[in-house]
Amino acid sequence: MQSAYQMVVIGAGPAGMAAAQTAARQGVEVAVIDEQPHPGGQIYRNVNASPLADIDLLGKDYVFGRQLVQGFEYAHLDYFANSGVWFLDRAGELGIVQDGVHRRVSAQRIVIACGAQERAMPFPGWDKAGVMTAGAAQILMKSAAMVPSEAPVLAGNGPLLLLLAWQYLRAGVRLRAIVDTAQSANRWPALRYFPQAIAASDYLFKGLKLVSAIRRARVPWFREASDLRALGEERLSALHFTCRGKPQHIDTTLLLLHQGVIPALQIAAAAGCETRWNSLQQCWQPQVDDWGQSSVDSVFVAGDAAGIGGARAAWLGGQLAGLQLAHQLGLIDAVKRDKLAQPIRKARARHLAIRPFLDTWYRVAESSLVPGDETLACRCEEVSVGEIRTLAAMGCTGPNQAKAFTRCGMGPCQGRFCGSTVEQVFASETAASPQQIGRFNTRPPLKPVTLGQIAGIAHNEQR
Amino acid sequence: MFKILGDTGEHLVVELDGDEVTVPAGVSVAAALLYLDRIPTRHSVVNGLPRAPYCMMGVCFECLIEVDGVVDQRACQLQVRAGQRLRRQLATSKVESA
């Protein structure tokens, strides 16, 4: 690893691979830092190093990632796998840990392309051993060819839950039930966005294909489910819920949850990028211009990290960031940049056309964002929703003061999973929008590091 | 809890809680623990609640485990290696709060 690069890209998912490749093609000196052993991000994880005998099992949208990863592997750039960023600043200084060794790297420009994370789905018992995210289940399939050995329950709302169900059925996994928390009341408001969604009809047809395959398999499908409660002592034993007014009980040892994804904001927030609340997607996102440049001049944010748009839009968004960076670094003029960008923008707009429809159709219910008092909001420090609600009622000024009072958000995950719940409880109690409430401050170290490892930086640089 | 589709791949031996166990090669420590059905993988330090891998992508820190004598490692971000010493961070006794 050199000590300085023109451009450092954080994340080797579709947006990061595209930004890196596009800039490198124009002659920019690029390093890509990624936490995983192989490029592709979570969406195309292991696509070119699959442990599966037949990757077609996961569907053609996954297989599509093969050509993207291949192009990346041939690009003229420095790629560092198994590497995480634990520190960065506005001056372009980064602290990187690779296989336990820490280094400092400086960059003229940084592209944050660290993708999305699962939105928290808090209800009583969601912290039990045996409750996992749908994304986790997909990672086990992609990276380890692992599927449940007993029929799991899938619960929640959103396209990924249906995709996982479809993939499991193709893999011969029996499903105990789908506990669907989608609200039929969302359908009418979503139809307003249907005309523009037709431009991206391939997404609609894919959705219909998933739903009809799940129906054909006669998976028990509980619609409009609410009041979820996971039971069990040392591990999960059952799921309780209400479906159309009737209490339901399903014995299960594995419960897979999903209610959409949100931008992984930690690195952009730590870099000082301004963020705004997206009320349609019910999450925070960094403020970026139409090239992906953030409020911090040297920092770009591309792909789902800048707002949820899916893998294909992320790939195209990454290309736009790469072109603008090549331009800012003096390698291409504005005319060439704009000429190259024009077809990319057009294709990206088509992929994004489906989002308002999907975001509205799968809008998460208020009751699922602001659960009852006994639910754990912060899993790490075990702070309940009730404690946060009490603080809000007492006049606590917001998430950061609540953090000081309760340690909520101060545990190892640094507020990545409780942040949205804490904001939503405050917003609901004070009848304010999350934009007015604000979010947890984010500070390095962004990944766990030992003092010894930090102290070793100078030593590593001398070698 | 989880099985490998068409399991014909390589395996290796690691030490888990003092016992030698066989796990698939090339997977994360968290995946190996799920394969072995050894959950919970820890008890929380706050109230001793049982926990296990949750997000598998390094975000939630639920899968923390002791690896080769170093505690609080994210099991989902580490690959299994032959001879690795893994120890689940389980509470042996619970301290009653006053």
Side-chain angles (χ1 to χ4, degrees):
Chain A
M1 193 178 288
Q2 298 168 205
S3 60
Y5 286 89
Q6 284 182 301
M7 172 175 161
V8 169
V9 179
I10 305 170
M17 291 193 297
Q21 262 182 86
T22 304
R25 198 175 296 135
Q26 303 302 336
V28 180
E29 197 181 35
V30 183
V32 180
I33 313 292
D34 189 68
E35 281 198 308
Q36 303 308 325
H38 306 284
Q42 301 302 346
I43 191 83
Y44 301 131
R45 192 158 168 168
N46 287 68
V47 72
N48 270 12
S50 180
L52 289 162
D54 176 16
I55 71 165
D56 288 335
L57 184 72
L58 297 176
K60 65 179 173 27
D61 285 330
Y62 177 69
V63 178
F64 178 82
R66 267 194 162 160
Q67 63 200 69
L68 307 187
V69 172
Q70 252 156 29
F72 176 75
E73 283 169 341
Y74 286 117
H76 188 70
L77 48 79
D78 287 352
Y79 160 61
F80 301 97
N82 302 314
S83 305
V85 171
W86 64 270
F87 167 86
L88 80 169
D89 65 19
R90 287 161 176 267
E93 189 88 359
L94 295 116
I96 292 164
V97 53
Q98 183 184 26
D99 297 325
V101 179
H102 290 243
R103 296 177 194 285
R104 271 187 311 200
V105 170
S106 66
Q108 292 175 42
R109 294 287 191 284
I110 296 171
V111 179
I112 297 170
C114 51
Q117 67 162 80
E118 290 265 356
R119 183 200 304 281
M121 186 170 161
F123 56 81
W126 74 301
D127 58 313
K128 290 200 184 298
V131 182
M132 302 177 75
T133 67
Q138 277 208 315
I139 288 167
L140 283 164
M141 245 190 312
K142 291 172 184 174
S143 67
M146 277 169 49
V147 296
S149 46
E150 287 169 55
V153 174
L154 275 55
N157 175 20
L160 185 71
L161 203 68
L162 300 179
L163 177 63
L164 177 67
W166 181 81
Q167 289 170 332
Y168 272 174
L169 291 171
R170 279 164 70 91
V173 175
R174 209 168 53 82
L175 303 180
R176 187 75 179 74
I178 295 176
V179 176
D180 190 340
T181 59
Q183 308 277 299
S184 60
N186 289 343
R187 292 181 185 176
W188 282 110
L191 284 180
R192 213 176 95 209
Y193 300 108
F194 189 75
Q196 76 176 86
I198 291 170
S201 57
D202 43 337
Y203 288 90
L204 297 171
F205 285 119
K206 183 183 176 184
L208 289 172
K209 182 183 81 177
L210 302 182
V211 169
S212 70
I214 297 164
R215 282 222 181 99
R216 272 200 312 277
R218 301 187 185 281
V219 177
W221 196 332
F222 297 90
R223 292 178 188 276
E224 309 246 4
S226 61
D227 307 317
L228 274 63
R229 175 183 294 269
L231 307 177
E233 292 297 324
E234 275 299 278
R235 58 193 289 173
L236 176 75
S237 60
L239 177 69
H240 259 323
F241 59 96
T242 307
C243 180
R244 302 205 163 108
K246 271 169 62 181
Q248 300 282 348
H249 176 103
I250 303 177
D251 290 325
T252 185
T253 55
L254 180 61
L255 172 60
L256 301 169
L257 304 179
H258 178 74
Q259 60 177 3
V261 295
I262 60 174
L265 206 61
Q266 216 77 358
I267 297 177
C273 300
E274 273 174 37
T275 56
R276 73 174 178 88
W277 178 255
N278 180 330
S279 55
L280 195 59
Q281 298 197 330
Q282 301 169 284
C283 58
W284 292 92
Q285 63 187 47
Q287 297 255 41
V288 293
D289 70 8
D290 59 1
W291 299 101
Q293 192 160 20
S294 76
S295 62
V296 178
D297 282 346
S298 59
V299 177
F300 283 64
V301 191
D304 274 3
I308 304 305
R312 301 292 292 275
W315 170 253
L316 297 159
Q319 291 180 32
L320 294 175
L323 286 175
Q324 175 71 332
L325 281 155
H327 171 63
Q328 290 184 354
L329 293 165
L331 290 151
I332 55 171
D333 61 26
V335 176
K336 185 174 179 189
R337 174 199 67 186
D338 293 343
K339 186 165 172 272
L340 291 170
Q342 200 247 338
I344 300 170
R345 282 196 195 287
K346 200 174 155 196
R348 183 164 176 267
R350 196 190 73 77
H351 286 291
L352 290 176
I354 191 75
R355 296 314 312 187
F357 176 74
L358 287 182
D359 295 337
T360 312
W361 186 276
Y362 291 116
R363 188 173 179 82
V364 179
E366 168 91 2
S367 59
S368 197
L369 294 174
V370 189
D373 280 350
E374 64 176 302
T375 303
L376 279 188
C378 170
R379 301 164 61 111
C380 299
E381 295 292 336
E382 288 164 16
V383 181
S384 71
V385 169
E387 287 172 74
I388 303 298
R389 197 169 266 139
T390 304
L391 284 177
M394 286 167 69
C396 175
T397 57
N400 288 300
Q401 203 178 49
K403 187 200 271 186
F405 288 155
T406 63
R407 291 194 53 83
C408 179
M410 224 185 262
C413 99
Q414 299 175 296
R416 287 171 172 93
F417 265 104
C418 63
S420 59
T421 309
V422 173
E423 293 149 13
Q424 293 284 348
V425 171
F426 267 98
S428 146
E429 285 300 304
T430 60
S433 79
Q435 182 76 51
Q436 293 165 301
I437 296 295
R439 51 182 305 279
F440 284 141
N441 293 329
T442 308
R443 294 186 191 88
L446 302 166
K447 301 284 171 195
V449 283
T450 64
L451 288 173
Q453 286 168 327
I454 295 174
I457 291 174
H459 173 70
N460 296 331
E461 281 168 357
Q462 280 160 14
R463 283 190 301 186
Chain B
M1 175 175 207
F2 281 86
K3 64 179 181 187
I4 293 194
L5 281 173
D7 190 355
T8 52
E10 277 179 60
H11 286 69
L12 48 80
V13 176
V14 300
E15 189 188 304
L16 174 61
D17 301 333
D19 303 325
E20 285 197 344
V21 291
T22 303
V23 297
V27 306
S28 69
V29 171
L33 290 161
L34 294 168
Y35 173 82
L36 295 168
D37 199 19
R38 295 289 276 268
I39 69 164
T41 52
R42 70 178 178 107
H43 287 115
S44 72
V45 289
V46 182
N47 291 308
L49 300 179
R51 299 290 173 82
Y54 177 70
C55 81
M56 294 298 290
M57 54 190 277
V59 181
C60 73
F61 291 69
E62 289 291 11
C63 62
L64 298 179
I65 190 171
E66 183 183 317
V67 180
D68 294 331
V70 183
V71 296
D72 289 347
Q73 305 288 305
R74 287 176 294 173
C76 69
Q77 299 294 300
L78 290 170
Q79 300 289 108
V80 288
R81 280 182 293 100
Q84 207 167 28
R85 282 177 298 121
L86 308 173
R87 188 171 290 278
R88 293 185 293 165
Q89 300 181 180
L90 301 179
T92 46
S93 63
K94 284 186 187 174
V95 179
E96 294 300 319
S97 60

